[in-house]
């Protein structure tokens, strides 16, 4: 292949050029880093002048999202503004007028307009950036506890902080918020260690070392920091020690990866003794930390700690990353490894881009067209003038005297005429256009700010436009990329419903009364029914309960359980309370016995099968659950709400309080078969220790698909009932779990335990061996029921997404959550409709490649497309299908798996994970195929993606499809995505201000996005587009009149008008009507746009601004200029208008043209305005009135004041009948084509907008949302959630005017948007494995393979190994009359609690 030409390379370089790249600080290539603690730096880090080597100087912890500094503002802003071709042209014309031959007025005044335009734009940009600086300052000036004091010094280098607008003006602050040289014990910025020091001596009056609150931006590499519970992490920090046993720490990482469950981290073992400020500052034990170079991989970090000659490895499990939050841990002491731009979250973010709206980019080609027209006009004038001079000079024309010199001849004069024509016709490119756009967009930003419907009362947060120049882009969005956590969801769970033993419990409806009062009432009712049993109260109120020593037969008062973090409300169900009350007194063999066993077993599994920790308040005895995920917290909390209170664990002993026993039930935890995404289940094996019942139980929870296939045969009716309940739960968008158990014989467990131990210690294929052995035990389970948890969405999310889909906007969700969670959220948010087909693409080292999976997806679901023929991939897909054919799992819904299922109606949703995207984003062929598949789906969900992958996905769609994109998020992991999109929206949520600081618009709730796009975006785009084409039109009218005059002035580039009329054309006479369009026009009212999202298609289809529309308005202007000029010229030159018979003067009839042109232009703009309000009337007639007043005054100025060419013109102008008759005639003829077109369009070919405007005009009190779309009000299939869940067919836009009807109000067909209330189960096809299943809402979030779980498994393994060869404790033999298969717990058969043993 031949190398590209110079022109091609230049064009490519110009296309990829970015202004910000010129001002980005070029950082040297990152190098491996060594952090030195309590020791001097080695010599190789210094140069020969003892200056630090730059490659070894880490950056400051200051993070800046702003664009400008004091130094770079002027050059960068000017470069950005001169990307507008018109600005370059205006400067050229201004310079041209400095030459006397082309001067019209004072040269200084000529520069004034362009200076004003540039200045106002610069002021607006500066204001926007100052707001960014203020946001940066709030982040950088957060405080953290840093080790300080005379005994401590950090020897490591630190880079210099950048001086921005704020830092350049305000004097430099000290490093600490307190004076480190003279600390005061009463200073709140100083803290000391009391309980954590290895040498807990009282600190003296002048301590040598302490913790000082320091600004984030002043944190340096090598600093020791102390992070307290719920504090954000300021940098990437190596954990030295924590308050927890075995130096664990729990962090919330949803700001990095979107996952809601907590992650466990552990300290470096060799640094675990650094538990106080004194320990950290000790010089007796120096050490170093050697780190690999900073990289973007969020899940990998390689480092080594060298201490006392011993080297210890460090991985990501020992590091707290910036952007995470410390949870459920009192404190952590850590060492700063990476700061600022070296931290992983910042490395995954880009620099603040300089965005331009699509309308602004489209203006450049139109300006080029006008410039080409201007050049053509100037060339014609130059050539014509030169030819006329050549013809008339030999004939002795007196005005051509001496026209044969080197500086004065036809050729030179033709060139001068060409340049003069550029000045004469310069208004073809209006200089006031850009300043008008800036004014209008600034006002539109204020309209957004003051919109009360987008004001969040809870936090007093209005919607804020941080970038004023993108308002019209909001009306053209075609793709939305959204984060999940914090954007769509609240990261809070509600236990909604459950199915137990075939009975479903929906839960009591939410009420406005205080939940604590309700819970206490529930407890009172239960205790009134059963005095010898106690339900667990879960009120938050104070209690006198204490935390007594737990013994095997200790009788306890009702436990007080505080509402767990991440759980919104308590679970309560009146029917469940009654059933539990009856179950407590169930007699053996009675009809209530089966339901009693099911209830006891169900909630016992919820209360025991988990990894939740308990925290007991030592003063009140109140229990609080601390879970790694809100899912587990909601499950355990729900069990406690109904009386099954998990009281904590004493090493391997689990403590449970139930309504069936007054004593605390004790269970020995033997094994944990942990949850993984592949297993989709979690099981524990426990031995009951109370009384004479010492049986072994396996308690399991997981996905319905894996639990049902492991159930014991029998009970088919019960299984079918539970399946129906699961379908109902999934249809309501709830996250489901299925619960089961089995009783394990002692000898079977002994044999299995041997095999499990061998598998867990195997050197080869350990994971597979463990899974195989675990699967052996998890067989022949007995079904208990299912749970349904709601991942509480942000208010209005399902409705908003449904309406955005109706608007024709494709929605892609990019989240760091696992696949099941992403699907569950997609379903609950209406992204996945009731009848959607889910296509799953997975990455990995085994199975088909990602390309093969996508190819099969096309063959299976889109066989009618020609994608494969274009890609030439059909043969590859068939030949490689080999061992992974599509197969079907057994389901109860035959319609899902019938032949031709791929073409079933309902649409498709693509789900692809981050590993697959790694393969897609590096290969152009994969990119194109992903775009082909993605664009044929109703939505796309990308799970397990990194922040950088989010940005790459946005760029892939934006550049590959050339569409308008919007990204919305609320966390630091969304910054790169927000910056990559055409429009970035940040949500001011709980995850900090990083997303908002980098966004173009800041909203408080996701639901406000609907109004922002459908109303303000639509209005802004329609207003701006119409205003711009009307701007070009009105200038073409004026320039056209000047052009036709050249025919009669020898093509000399002379002005037809008196110059001031032309000077004020864009500033006084015609500016108000176009500004009125830009500020006050409404295509339809806001409530109509909100009720009919389909109208948004006008914006997506670029109806209001395009090159075609531009040419239509240009031609309209040319045609109007013809009628205005030639009719008036013919009228005035047919006979004189003066009573004395003298001939007319130029300005006498040209002023008539000015009046006619201004009136015609103003009324033409009025014709293009959809709503005539008082402000529109004022704007349209303002210019006409100003022109009249100006003419009366200007023509009356006597030469004694200053000389003008129009003095006395009023007498001839206004006294002429031609002046008064030409106005209505010329204006009517000029406007006739546009008027006829609008009349025909409204009367004979009305569109949706015309119909809706007509309805609003004729029936102003009609609620169109109710009258025209009645089906939107009653569509609530799940009363408990009050969610409107449309089918995917509702995402297809419908035209209001598509159905013929005599009455416009009835033109909207209700049938076109009728809801399909028939439940069609969602099919899921995994293209990697070929498995097709029915989706029943399974989802469960927890940390997989975390440090805490590994430590628990290690403790269990050590305990099992230590007792392997010891005889088991004597256990009471089970009576042969007892049938273990009939009961889960012996306590069910008790009528009353046993009498405590006196010996105890």
């Amino acid at each position: 292949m031949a190398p590209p030409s110079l022109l091609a390379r230049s064009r490519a370089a110009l296309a990829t050029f970015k202004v910000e790249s010129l001002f980005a600080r070029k950082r040297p290539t990152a190098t491996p880093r060594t952090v030195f603690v309590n020791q001097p730096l080695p010599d190789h880090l210094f140069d020969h002048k003892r200056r630090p080597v730059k490659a070894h100087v880490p950056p400051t912890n200051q993070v800046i999202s702003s664009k400008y500094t004091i130094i770079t503002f002027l050059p960068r802003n000017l470069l950005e503004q001169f990307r507008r071709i018109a600005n370059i042209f205006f400067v050229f014309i201004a310079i041209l007028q400095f030459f006397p031959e082309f001067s019209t007025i004072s040269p200084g005044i000529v520069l004034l307009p362009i200076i004003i335009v540039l200045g106002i734009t610069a002021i607006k940009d500066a204001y926007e950036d100052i707001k960014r600086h203020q946001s940066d300052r709030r982040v950088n000036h957060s405080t953290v506890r840093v080790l300080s004091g005379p005994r401590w010094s950090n020897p490591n280098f630190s880079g210099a902080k950048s001086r921005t607008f704020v830092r350049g003006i305000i004097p430099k602050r000290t490093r600490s918020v307190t004076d480190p040289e003279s600390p005061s014990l009463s200073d709140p910025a100083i803290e000391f260690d009391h309980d954590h020091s290895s040498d807990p001596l009282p600190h003296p009056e002048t301590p040598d070392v302490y913790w000082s609150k320091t600004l984030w931006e002043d944190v340096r590499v090598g600093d020791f920091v102390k992070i307290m519970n719920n504090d954000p992490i300021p940098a990437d920090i190596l954990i030295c020690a924590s308050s927890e046993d075995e130096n664990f720490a729990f962090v919330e990482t949803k700001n990095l990866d979107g996952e809601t469950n907590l992650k466990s981290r552990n300290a470096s073992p060799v640094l675990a003794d650094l538990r106080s400020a004194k320990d950290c500052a000790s010089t007796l034990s120096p050490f170093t930390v050697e780190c690999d170079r900073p990289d973007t991989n969020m899940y990998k970090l390689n480092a080594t700690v060298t201490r006392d000659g011993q080297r210890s490895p460090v991985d990501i499990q020992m590091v707290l990353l910036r952007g995470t939050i410390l949870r459920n841990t009192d404190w952590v002491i850590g060492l700063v490894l990476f700061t600022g731009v070296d931290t992983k979250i910042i490395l995954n973010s880009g620099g603040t881009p300089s965005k331009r709206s699509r309308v602004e980019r489209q203006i450049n080609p139109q300006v080029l067209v006008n410039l080409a027209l201007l050049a053509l006009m100037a060339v014609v004038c130059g050539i014509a003038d030169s030819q006329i001079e050549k013809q008339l000079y030999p004939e002795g024309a007196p005005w051509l005297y001496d026209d044969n010199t080197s500086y004065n001849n036809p050729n030179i004069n033709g060139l001068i005429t060409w340049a003069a024509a550029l000045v004469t016709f310069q208004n073809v490119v209006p200089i006031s256009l850009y300043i008008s756009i800036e004014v209008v967009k600034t006002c539109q930003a204020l309209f957004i700010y003051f919109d009360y419907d987008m004001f969040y009362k809870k936090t007093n947060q209005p919607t804020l436009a941080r970038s004023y120049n993108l308002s019209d882009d909001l009306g053209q969005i075609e793709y939305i990329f959204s984060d999940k956590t914090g954007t769509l969801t609240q990261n809070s769970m509600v236990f909604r419903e459950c199915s137990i033993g075939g009975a479903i419990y929906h839960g009591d409806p939410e009420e406005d009364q205080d939940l604590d009062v309700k819970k206490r009432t529930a407890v009172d009712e239960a205790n009134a029914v059963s005095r010898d049993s106690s339900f667990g109260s879960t009120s938050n109120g104070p209690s006198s309960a204490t935390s007594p020593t737990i013994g095997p037969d200790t009788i306890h008062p009702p436990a007080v359980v505080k509402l767990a973090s991440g759980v919104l409300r308590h679970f309560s169900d009146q029917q469940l309370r009654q059933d539990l009350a009856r179950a407590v007194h169930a007699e053996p063999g009675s009809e209530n016995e089966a339901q009693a066993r099911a209830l006891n077993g169900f909630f016992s599994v919820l209360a025991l099968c988990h990894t939740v920790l308990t925290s007991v308040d030592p003063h009140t005895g109140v229990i609080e659950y601390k879970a790694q995920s809100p899912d587990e917290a909601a499950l355990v909390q729900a069990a406690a709400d109904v009386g099954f209170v998990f009281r904590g664990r004493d090493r391997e002993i689990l403590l449970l309080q139930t309504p069936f026993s007054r004593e605390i039930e004790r269970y020995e935890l033997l094994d944990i078969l942990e949850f993984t995404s592949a297993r989709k289940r979690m099981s524990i094996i426990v031995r009951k220790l109370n009384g004479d019942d010492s049986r072994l139980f396996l308690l399991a929870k997981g996905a319905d698909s894996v639990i049902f296939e492991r159930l014991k045969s029998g009970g088919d009716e019960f299984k079918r009932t539970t399946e129906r309940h699961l379908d109902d739960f999934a249809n309501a968008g709830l996250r489901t779990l299925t619960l089961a158990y089995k009783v394990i014989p002692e000898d079977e467990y002994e044999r299995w335990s041997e095999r499990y131990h061998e598998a867990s210690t195997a050197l080869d294929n350990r994971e597979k061996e463990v899974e195989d052995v675990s699967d052996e035990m998890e067989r022949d389970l007995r079904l208990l029921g299912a749970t349904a948890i709601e991942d509480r969405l942000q208010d209005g999310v399902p409705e908003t997404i449904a309406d955005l889909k109706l608007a024709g906007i494709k929605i892609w969700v990019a989240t760091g959550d696992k696949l099941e969670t992403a699907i569950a959220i997609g379903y609950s948010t209406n992204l996945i409709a009731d009848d959607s087909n889910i296509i799953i693409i997975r990455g990995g080292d085994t199975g088909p490649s990602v390309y093969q999976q996508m190819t099969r997806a096309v063959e299976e679901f889109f066989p009618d497309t020609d994608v494969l023929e274009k890609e030439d991939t059909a043969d590859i897909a068939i030949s490689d299908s080999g061992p992974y054919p599509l197969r079907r799992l057994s389901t109860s819904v035959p319609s899902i798996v019938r032949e031709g299922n791929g073409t079933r109606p309902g649409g498709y949703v693509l789900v692809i994970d981050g590993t697959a995207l790694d393969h897609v984003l590096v290969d152009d062929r994969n990119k194109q195929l992903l775009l082909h598949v993605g664009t044929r789906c109703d939505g796309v969900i990308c799970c397990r993606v990194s922040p950088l992958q989010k940005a790459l996905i946005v760029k892939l769609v934006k550049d590959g499809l050339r569409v308008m994109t919007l990204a919305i998020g609320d966390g630091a992991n969304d910054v790169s995505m927000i910056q990559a999109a055409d429009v970035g929206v940040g949500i001011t949520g709980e995850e900090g201000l990083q997303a908002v600081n980098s966004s173009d618009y800041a909203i408080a709730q996701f639901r406000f996005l609907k109004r922002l796009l459908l109303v303000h975006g639509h209005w802004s785009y329609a207003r701006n587009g119409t205003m711009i084409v009307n701007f070009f039109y009105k200038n073409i009218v004026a320039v056209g009149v000047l052009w036709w005059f050249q025919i009669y002035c020898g093509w000399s580039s002379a002005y037809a008008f008196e110059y001031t009329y032309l000077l004020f054309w864009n500033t006084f006479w015609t500016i108000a009507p176009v500004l009125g369009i830009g500020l006050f026009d409404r295509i339809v009212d806001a409530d109509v746009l909100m009720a009919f999202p389909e109208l948004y298609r006008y914006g997506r289809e670029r109806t209001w601004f395009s090159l075609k529309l531009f040419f239509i308005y240009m031609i309209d202007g040319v045609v109007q200029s013809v009628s205005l000029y030639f009719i008036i010229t013919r009228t005035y030159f047919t006979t004189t208008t003066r009573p004395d018979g003298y001939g007319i003067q130029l300005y006498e009839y040209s002023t008539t043209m000015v009046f006619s042109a201004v009136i015609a232009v103003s009324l033409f703009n009025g014709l293009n305005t959809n709503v005539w309000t008082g402000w529109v009337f004022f704007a349209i007639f303002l210019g006409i009135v100003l022109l009249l007043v100006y003419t009366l005054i200007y023509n009356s100025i006597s030469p004694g004041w200053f000389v003008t060419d129009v003095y006395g013109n009023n007498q001839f102008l206004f006294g002429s009948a031609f002046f008064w008759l030409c106005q209505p005639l010329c204006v009517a003829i000029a406007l006739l084509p546009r008027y006829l077109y609008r009349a025909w369009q409204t009367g004979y070919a009305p569109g949706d907008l015309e119909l809706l405007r007509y309805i609003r005009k004729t029936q102003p009190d009609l609620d169109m949302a109710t009258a025209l779309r009645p089906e939107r009000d009653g569509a609530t299939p799940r009363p408990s959630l009050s969610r409107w869940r449309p089918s995917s067919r509702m995402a297809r836009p419908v035209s209001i005017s598509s159905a013929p009807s005599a009455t416009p109000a009835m033109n909207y067909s209700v049938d076109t948007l009728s809801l399909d209330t028939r439940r069609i189960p969602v099919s899921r096809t995994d293209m990697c494995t070929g498995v097709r299943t029915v989706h029943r809402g399974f989802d469960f979030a927890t940390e997989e393979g975390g440090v805490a779980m590994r430590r628990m498994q290690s403790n269990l393994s050590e305990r099992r190994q230590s007792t392997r060869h010891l005889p088991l404790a004597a256990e009471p033999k089970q009576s042969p009359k007892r049938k273990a298969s009939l009961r889960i717990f012996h306590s069910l058969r008790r009528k009353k609690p046993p009498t405590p043993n006196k010996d105890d």
Side-chain angles (χ1 to χ4, degrees), residues 69 259 705 1156:
T69 66
E259 295 192 22
S705 58
S1156 298

Side-chain angles (χ1 to χ4, degrees), residues 139-155:
V139 174
N140 291 326
H141 282 221
S142 302
T143 59
V144 64
R145 297 163 181 83
V146 177
L147 186 64
S148 303
R151 282 185 50 197
W152 161 256
S153 65
N154 182 357

Side-chain angles (χ1 to χ4, degrees), residues 262-475:
L262 301 184
K263 305 293 194 306
S264 57
R265 298 289 184 261
N266 64 292
S268 173
V270 297
L271 303 179
D273 59 310
L274 305 181
R275 303 183 60 83
S276 69
K278 181 179 179 181
D279 296 334
C280 296
S282 174
T283 59
L284 299 179
S285 181
F287 64 92
T288 60
V289 183
E290 301 174 19
C291 306
D292 201 352
R293 67 188 65 201
D295 60 24
T296 58
N297 192 331
M298 306 286 292
Y299 308 102
K300 178 183 177 183
L301 186 144
N302 293 323
T304 302
V305 177
T306 303
R307 188 178 187 186
D308 298 329
Q310 301 294 323
R311 295 172 60 86
S312 175
V314 172
D315 58 19
I316 196 68
Q317 295 293 333
M318 302 179 186
V319 177
L320 302 179
L321 298 181
R322 178 176 177 135
T324 59
I325 300 175
L326 188 67
R327 299 292 192 195
N328 295 350
T329 309
D330 292 338
W331 55 266
V332 162
I333 293 177
L335 178 71
V336 177
L337 299 182
F338 297 102
T339 54
V341 296
D342 280 350
T343 58
K344 290 188 178 293
I345 186 62
I346 304 301
L347 286 172
N348 278 272
S349 306
T352 303
S354 297
K355 296 183 180 180
R356 291 195 300 161
S357 69
R358 172 187 276 175
V359 168
E360 183 180 339
R361 296 195 301 269
Q362 288 177 323
I363 290 178
N364 275 348
Q366 299 176 4
V367 170
L368 287 174
V369 171
N370 279 8
L371 289 177
L373 178 62
L374 173 61
L376 179 62
M377 296 166 66
V379 168
V380 171
C381 286
I383 294 175
D385 179 68
S386 177
Q387 293 300 317
I388 291 174
E389 289 191 16
K390 289 180 181 179
Q391 180 182 349
L392 297 182
Y393 179 75
E395 299 177 6
W399 62 86
L400 298 178
Y401 176 76
D402 202 24
D403 198 21
N404 58 355
T405 62
S406 60
Y407 57 86
N408 185 15
N409 58 65
N411 293 330
I412 294 298
N413 290 340
L415 183 62
I416 293 175
T417 301
W418 172 81
L422 293 178
V423 177
T424 300
F425 305 127
Q426 64 176 299
N427 275 359
V428 74
V429 182
I431 190 172
S432 58
L433 171 62
Y434 287 106
I435 194 64
S436 300
I437 293 175
E438 297 292 348
V439 171
V440 166
K441 288 187 175 182
T442 300
C443 292
Q444 289 169 352
L446 294 176
F447 293 159
I448 292 174
Y449 180 82
F450 289 112
D451 189 343
Y452 191 74
D453 290 330
M454 294 194 298
F455 181 83
Y456 193 44
K457 298 179 183 178
K458 184 177 179 180
T459 58
N460 292 326
Q461 177 66 42
T463 297
L464 180 65
R466 296 171 56 84
S467 297
Y468 289 1
N469 63 327
L470 300 177
S471 57
D472 40 53
D473 279 353
L474 294 173

Side-chain angles (χ1 to χ4, degrees), residues 968-1029:
I968 180 170
D970 71 329
N973 59 326
D974 304 316
V975 169
S976 56
M977 177 176 69
I978 287 173
Q979 293 175 339
D982 294 290
V983 179
V985 178
I987 295 182
T988 52
E990 300 177 356
E991 298 189 25
L993 298 174
Q994 294 94 329
V996 171
N997 292 348
S998 303
S999 67
D1000 304 304
Y1001 292 88
I1003 60 178
Q1005 292 276 286
F1006 182 86
R1007 57 189 168 94
F1008 295 152
L1009 185 65
K1010 175 184 174 182
R1011 185 173 179 87
L1012 183 66
L1013 297 184
L1014 302 189
V1015 177
H1016 290 281
H1018 211 162
W1019 277 354
S1020 298
Y1021 176 50
R1023 289 167 174 173
N1024 295 352
T1026 306
M1027 178 188 72
I1028 292 170
V1029 292

Side-chain angles (χ1 to χ4, degrees), residues 515-830:
L515 291 175
D516 297 338
V517 174
K518 184 175 70 172
K519 296 303 296 182
R520 284 194 292 268
T521 303
V523 174
D524 294 340
E525 292 175 357
N527 287 333
V529 175
S530 176
R531 293 179 178 272
D532 60 348
S533 64
S534 59
F535 283 69
S537 170
T538 56
S539 66
N540 289 330
S543 172
S544 59
T546 60
S547 181
T549 303
I550 297 176
D553 298 311
T554 305
I555 299 177
H556 291 270
V560 181
V561 181
K562 181 180 179 181
L563 196 64
S565 176
V567 182
L568 284 182
R569 59 187 295 266
H570 298 276
F571 177 70
S572 175
D573 187 278
Q574 179 67 29
Q575 184 61 45
L576 178 60
R577 288 196 294 270
Q578 295 175 2
D579 290 350
L580 273 173
R582 286 193 296 268
V584 169
H585 297 285
E587 296 287 343
S590 66
E591 59 180 8
N592 293 328
E593 183 184 13
Q595 184 67 7
R597 289 200 305 269
L599 289 171
N600 190 30
F602 182 88
F603 286 108
S604 294
V605 173
L606 283 187
L608 294 174
C609 185
H610 55 75
T611 59
V612 174
L613 303 177
T614 58
S615 174
V616 181
D617 190 308
H619 304 290
T620 64
V622 174
I623 297 175
E624 180 180 4
Y625 294 132
K626 294 185 177 182
Q628 286 185 272
S629 70
D631 301 65
E632 284 203 326
L635 295 173
V636 180
Q637 183 73 53
D641 290 338
V642 299
F644 290 78
V645 183
F646 176 63
R647 300 295 294 259
R649 66 184 73 214
D650 182 9
R651 295 185 65 83
E652 285 77 35
I653 304 301
L654 308 181
L655 308 172
L656 178 64
Q657 175 182 335
T658 76
F660 293 89
S661 174
R662 297 180 63 186
E663 65 183 28
I664 297 294
E665 297 182 358
R666 302 167 67 245
Y667 297 88
E668 180 185 5
L669 178 62
L670 300 177
D671 295 282
I672 299 177
L673 309 182
E674 59 184 288
F675 177 90
T676 66
S677 298
R679 283 171 41 81
K680 295 184 180 180
R681 63 191 183 276
M682 173 187 178
S683 303
I684 64 170
I685 299 176
V686 295
R687 183 194 304 275
K688 192 171 183 182
L689 302 179
N690 292 70
D692 59 350
D693 188 358
S694 59
R695 288 172 297 160
L696 298 170
F697 298 96
L698 181 139
L699 312 179
K701 62 182 179 182
D704 57 284
S705 58
V706 297
I707 296 295
F708 272 72
E709 70 181 9
R710 287 165 172 78
L711 293 179
K712 192 173 184 178
S713 59
D716 294 338
E717 182 61 31
F718 176 27
K719 296 176 184 177
R720 285 193 292 269
T721 302
T722 305
E723 282 185 336
R724 287 197 299 271
H725 293 166
L726 284 167
D727 287 337
D728 293 337
F729 297 157
N731 187 35
L734 301 176
R735 304 165 65 154
T736 64
L737 274 178
T738 305
L739 276 59
Y741 81 100
K742 70 180 286 189
V743 179
I744 309 173
E746 192 73 44
D747 56 347
E748 177 184 340
Y749 174 74
E750 285 298 318
R751 292 192 299 271
W752 176 87
S753 181
E754 291 284 345
R755 295 195 302 273
Y756 184 76
H757 176 73
E758 293 174 0
S760 61
T761 56
L763 298 179
D764 300 326
N765 299 323
R766 178 180 299 177
E767 291 78 8
K768 184 178 184 303
E769 294 287 339
V770 170
E771 170 57 25
D772 292 342
V773 176
S774 300
D775 187 66
E776 292 177 11
M777 179 58 71
E778 295 169 323
R779 293 288 176 178
D780 297 329
L781 303 179
R782 293 183 176 274
L783 181 64
L784 289 171
T787 63
I789 296 177
E790 178 189 1
D791 188 353
R792 181 61 65 89
L793 303 174
Q794 299 283 356
D795 295 338
V797 166
E799 295 81 3
T800 299
I801 289 183
D803 284 335
L804 291 176
K805 291 170 67 177
L806 282 175
I809 300 175
K810 293 289 188 70
I811 300 176
W812 291 32
V813 173
T815 176
D817 269 320
K818 61 187 180 69
L819 185 140
E820 299 293 348
T821 303
I823 292 177
I825 293 301
Y827 192 74
S828 63
T829 59
N830 279 339

Side-chain angles (χ1 to χ4, degrees), residues 1366-1386:
L1366 296 179
L1368 292 173
E1371 300 289 348
K1373 294 184 178 180
Q1374 190 173 355
S1375 172
K1377 295 182 180 180
R1378 294 180 182 175
K1379 295 184 179 180
S1381 61
L1382 295 179
R1383 297 176 297 113
I1384 182 171
F1385 296 119
H1386 176 71

